[in-house]
Amino acid sequence: MNQSQIPIREATTEDAPLIANLLHDFNTEYEEETPGVEELTRHATRMLSEGEMTVLLEPDGAGLALLRFRPSVWTDQSEAYLQELYVVPARRGEGIGEALLEAVLEASRRANAAWIELNTGETDVAARSLYKKFGFTNEEGPQGAAMLYYEREL
């Protein structure tokens, strides 16, 4: 099945437990802290109901893409941030990631976003390859200098 045949749908608050389980599994797989499924369900329910995030799902629960939109200081359009893109290990290689990313692009266009930002780890070669395939770059300026992502816990 190619990515155009893989159905992707926008999540509703009823999907919060599924979203929470996928996010928990994602963090667990990459040995990152997780607040647990119950708390993630609470957060997802609130954020979906308040329109603070858009989640795109593969209907069988094999993957998700979590988008956040915000106003841009540079343009009248919004900015999109792809916060998470995850496909369960047993379903990787089926084109689900590509289908999700195509749906991300379409959702971002519908939201009138000027661009999409994301970050991933240097060692996540599969994700980096997928993003590059879809035209994402981590270089800026005429020198082609690498863009860097920084964060700090508060």
Side-chain angles (χ1 to χ4, degrees):
M1 184 180 294
N2 66 40
Q3 77 244 22
S4 65
Q5 297 173 317
I6 298 172
I8 302 297
R9 66 177 179 82
E10 189 168 329
T12 67
T13 55
E14 294 169 0
D15 295 305
L18 171 60
I19 294 165
N21 276 293
L22 286 166
L23 291 173
H24 176 78
D25 291 350
F26 182 32
N27 275 20
T28 301
E29 179 181 343
Y30 290 98
E31 300 178 359
E32 296 287 334
E33 288 186 36
T34 173
V37 173
E38 186 177 322
E39 189 168 341
L40 285 167
T41 299
R42 195 169 46 78
H43 292 297
T45 301
R46 179 188 58 78
M47 293 179 76
L48 286 166
S49 67
E50 294 177 6
E52 293 181 10
M53 71 178 181
T54 299
V55 180
L56 304 170
L57 292 169
E58 190 279 338
D60 295 331
L64 65 69
L66 192 157
L67 276 164
R68 310 277 310 271
F69 295 100
R70 63 183 177 243
S72 173
V73 69
W74 305 110
T75 176
D76 289 334
Q77 293 176 272
S78 64
E79 300 172 356
Y81 174 56
L82 177 57
Q83 188 165 354
E84 306 292 355
L85 188 138
Y86 178 66
V87 176
V88 298
R91 301 289 304 276
R92 292 181 186 155
E94 297 180 21
I96 295 169
E98 290 181 2
L100 284 165
L101 197 49
E102 189 61 50
V104 162
L105 295 174
E106 184 56 35
S108 298
R109 288 183 193 106
R110 281 194 313 271
N112 196 32
W115 61 81
I116 302 173
E117 298 174 333
L118 60 87
N119 63 67
T120 191
E122 187 175 12
T123 59
D124 195 344
V125 177
R128 292 175 58 209
S129 177
L130 176 65
Y131 299 140
K132 185 174 181 179
K133 178 178 180 178
F134 276 77
F136 288 84
T137 179
N138 67 339
E139 297 176 353
E140 69 178 351
Q143 311 299 330
M147 291 187 281
L148 303 173
Y149 169 81
Y150 291 85
E151 71 178 8
R152 177 182 170 189
E153 289 188 31
L154 298 175

